Amino acid sequence: MIAIEKNKSIKKYTTFGVPVLTKYFAQFSDLEELKSVLSDKKLMKEELLILGGGSNLLFTKNFEGLVLKNNIKGISIEEENDSEVLIRSGAGENWHDFVMYCVDNDFAGVENLSLIPGNVGASPMQNIGAYGVEIKDVFHSLEAIEIKTGKLRIFNKEECNFGYRESVFKNSQKNEFIITSVVFKLYKTPTFNVSYGAIGSELKKMKVENITIKAISDAVINIRQRKLPDPKKIGNAGSFFKNPVISAEQFEDLKLRFPQMSYYKLPSGEMKIAAGWLIDYLGWKGTRKGDYGVHKNQALVLVNYGESEGKDIYDLSSLIMKSVLKNFQITLEREVNIF
Ligand code: FAD
Ligand code: NAP
C-alpha cells in the first residue's frame, strides 16, 4: 500500500503557489499502486482530485478530500513506418520533456507546443494548444482508469470530443476517469505550422533559412520565455481566461465601437476575440494589489508575486469578468480549474 499523508501542504505542487492544505495526499507511479488506492473503500468516499503538474489549478480554500498525484513515467514507440510514428507516454511525464524527446528524434507535430508546463496526462483535459496547434492534431488515443470500477478504458480521438480548450474529461465525464497514458501520432516528414505571426518573425530574427522542427521549437521557446512569467519565479497558471467566441452580429456591433479590437474569424463564421486585448483595453494589465495582480506583459495571466491567497486571485478574476461584461457585453469564462 502506498503512503497516505494527512493534512499536507500542496502549495509546492502547484504553479500558482498559494497556501493550501489537503486532508489526504498520495502519489502513484504505476497502475498497481493506483488500483490499490482505488480499492480502499474508506478513502474512496472522499472527494478525489488527480494532480499532474498543478499548472492549471487555483485553490481558493483547503481541499477536504484526497489529492492523488500521478507519477506514471515512460515514453515508448508503439508502431512506426516510413512516414508516421505512434508514441505512448506515461501520464506523469513532463509535457515539455515529451516535446523535447520528439524534437530530438525529428518527430514532427508537437514543436509548436514547446514549453507548456504540466504533464502529459493533463494534455487531453483541455486539449492544450498554442501557436496554431492543439493536441487533437496529433492525438491517437489514451488509456484511463474508471474511478468507480477501477477498469481500464481506451478512448479514441472522437470519444474525447475535443474542442477549444475542452474535452469530455472537463464536461460529460468530469471526475470519472484517471488518464494513465496517451498515444500521439507524429510525423517523420514535417508540415510546418508558422501561421502565427510571432513564429515567423522570431525565425527571421534567429536568421533561420531552412525551417526545421528544432528551429520552430526554439522560436516558440524564445517567444514564451520573453513574454510569459516563469512559474518558478512568479506564481501563475497561464491564461486565466479563454478567448471568447461571439456571433458575427455581436462582432459587427463591437467592431464599430472598438475598431482596434483584436479578433480572428473562425471556420464556423463566428469570431474569436483576444480576451487579453479586452482586459488590456480596460486598463487591467500590470495592475497589482498587494501580492497579486495582472501580469505586466500578458493581460490574460493573473499572478501571485509571493504570499497571496487563492481567494484574492479568484476575486480579482471576478472583478475583471464584471468589467469586461459591462463594457463589451461579453462573458469571459475561466480556463483555470478552480477548487
Ligand atoms: P494540473 O494543473 O495538475 O491539472 C489540471 C486539471 O486536469 C485538473 O482538473 C486535474 O484534476 C486534471 N488532471 C490532471 N492530470 C490528470 C489525469 N492524469 N487524469 C485525469 N485528470 C487529470 N495551456 C495551454 O493549453 N496552452 C498553453 O500555451 C499554456 N501555457 C501555459 C503557460 C504557463 C506559464 C502556465 C503556468 C500554464 C500554461 N497552460 C497552457 C496551462 C497548463 O500548462 C495546461 O493546461 C497543462 O496541460 C496542465 O497540466 P498539469 O499537469 O499541470 O495539470
Ligand atoms: P498572442 O500571440 O499575443 O495572440 C493573442 C491571441 O490571439 C491568442 O490568444 C491567440 O488565440 C490569438 N491569435 C494570435 N494569432 C492568431 C492566428 N494567426 N490565428 C488565430 N488566432 C490567433 O498570444 P499569446 O498570449 O502570446 O500566446 C501565444 C500562444 O500560446 C497562443 O496560442 C496561446 O493560446 C498560447 N498560450 C496559452 C496559455 C494558456 O494558459 N492557455 C498561456 C500562454 C500562451 P489562441 O489562444 O486561441 O491561440
Side-chain angles (χ1 to χ4, degrees):
M1 186 65 187
I2 60 176
I4 310 287
E5 297 176 68
K6 285 186 190 164
N7 290 326
K8 183 175 171 77
S9 165
I10 50 168
K11 177 176 166 165
K12 70 166 185 196
Y13 293 109
T14 73
T15 59
F16 249 128
V18 296
V20 53
L21 294 177
T22 176
K23 190 170 165 193
Y24 298 109
F25 178 79
Q27 312 196 46
F28 61 93
S29 304
D30 57 36
L31 287 182
E32 290 314 306
E33 288 184 350
L34 171 57
K35 284 182 178 169
S36 76
V37 182
L38 295 183
S39 64
D40 184 327
K41 290 204 176 85
K42 191 167 159 256
L43 214 47
M44 279 306 109
K45 288 200 179 114
E46 301 290 336
E47 190 184 347
L48 185 61
L49 166 57
I50 307 303
L51 187 65
S55 65
N56 204 14
L57 302 167
L58 177 65
F59 287 98
T60 56
K61 53 183 183 309
N62 288 338
F63 188 74
E64 295 299 330
L66 167 66
V67 171
L68 254 187
K69 181 155 166 45
N70 186 334
N71 292 332
I72 297 179
K73 301 280 187 205
I75 296 178
S76 58
I77 293 181
E78 295 265 294
E79 265 179 57
E80 65 181 312
N81 58 32
D82 290 346
S83 54
E84 292 168 1
V85 54
L86 291 186
I87 306 176
R88 179 181 299 279
S89 170
E93 287 287 346
N94 173 273
W95 172 261
H96 181 66
D97 290 349
F98 171 72
V99 172
M100 287 300 101
Y101 166 87
C102 298
V103 170
D104 291 345
N105 284 285
D106 261 345
F107 298 147
V110 285
E111 55 280 3
N112 292 46
L113 303 178
S114 297
L115 216 61
I116 297 181
N119 290 353
V120 168
S123 65
M125 293 295 296
Q126 67 157 13
N127 177 27
I128 56 168
Y131 301 101
V133 173
E134 295 177 332
I135 69 138
K136 75 169 167 48
D137 304 327
V138 289
F139 179 90
H140 177 270
S141 58
L142 64 78
E143 285 187 357
I145 298 289
E146 189 176 22
I147 294 169
K148 209 167 50 187
T149 61
K151 287 196 177 138
L152 184 84
R153 168 145 171 217
I154 296 173
F155 285 79
N156 64 26
K157 197 196 290 199
E158 287 66 39
E159 289 166 326
C160 292
N161 201 12
F162 290 123
Y164 174 62
R165 306 282 191 269
E166 289 294 347
S167 74
V168 279
F169 305 106
K170 276 185 94 174
N171 294 294
S172 60
Q173 316 222 284
K174 193 172 173 174
N175 299 332
E176 289 181 20
F177 289 91
I178 299 170
I179 296 167
T180 51
S181 71
V182 187
V183 179
F184 299 94
K185 182 163 138 185
L186 300 181
Y187 300 91
K188 292 185 178 174
T189 315
T191 312
F192 298 120
N193 186 333
V194 289
S195 59
Y196 265 55
I199 296 190
S201 44
E202 186 65 25
L203 288 169
K204 259 192 206 143
K205 203 163 135 192
M206 290 159 59
K207 298 194 172 34
V208 170
E209 283 174 8
N210 297 314
I211 300 179
T212 59
I213 298 168
K214 171 94 169 62
I216 294 195
S217 170
D218 287 345
V220 169
I221 291 171
N222 289 346
I223 305 167
R224 294 186 75 108
Q225 281 178 336
R226 262 202 314 272
K227 203 167 172 187
L228 291 166
D230 176 354
K232 288 195 185 103
K233 297 182 186 139
I234 302 177
N236 75 94
S239 304
F240 205 91
F241 306 101
K242 293 183 193 174
N243 287 321
V245 174
I246 62 173
S247 68
E249 293 77 38
Q250 187 181 2
F251 169 75
E252 289 309 330
D253 174 52
L254 274 179
K255 183 78 185 140
L256 285 176
R257 289 163 53 208
F258 306 100
Q260 333 81 307
M261 188 172 63
S262 177
Y263 61 89
Y264 296 88
K265 189 169 184 174
L266 298 179
S268 62
E270 294 170 304
M271 305 303 274
K272 179 177 80 178
I273 311 295
W277 185 90
L278 303 174
I279 297 167
D280 190 6
Y281 182 87
L282 296 174
W284 287 102
K285 190 154 124 181
T287 55
R288 178 170 177 164
K289 214 174 165 213
D291 251 359
Y292 61 96
V294 180
H295 190 248
K296 64 179 181 5
N297 297 337
Q298 194 12 309
L300 265 189
V301 179
L302 304 191
V303 288
N304 170 18
Y305 291 104
E307 298 302 320
S308 57
E309 303 272 338
K311 174 81 169 57
D312 293 335
I313 295 165
Y314 180 84
D315 289 347
L316 172 63
S317 75
S318 300
L319 287 178
I320 293 172
M321 288 167 77
K322 257 191 203 154
S323 90
V324 168
L325 181 62
K326 184 167 165 228
N327 288 279
F328 300 106
Q329 295 73 54
I330 288 178
T331 304
L332 287 184
E333 217 183 302
R334 293 182 183 90
E335 183 176 306
V336 172
N337 299 280
I338 309 293
F339 291 95

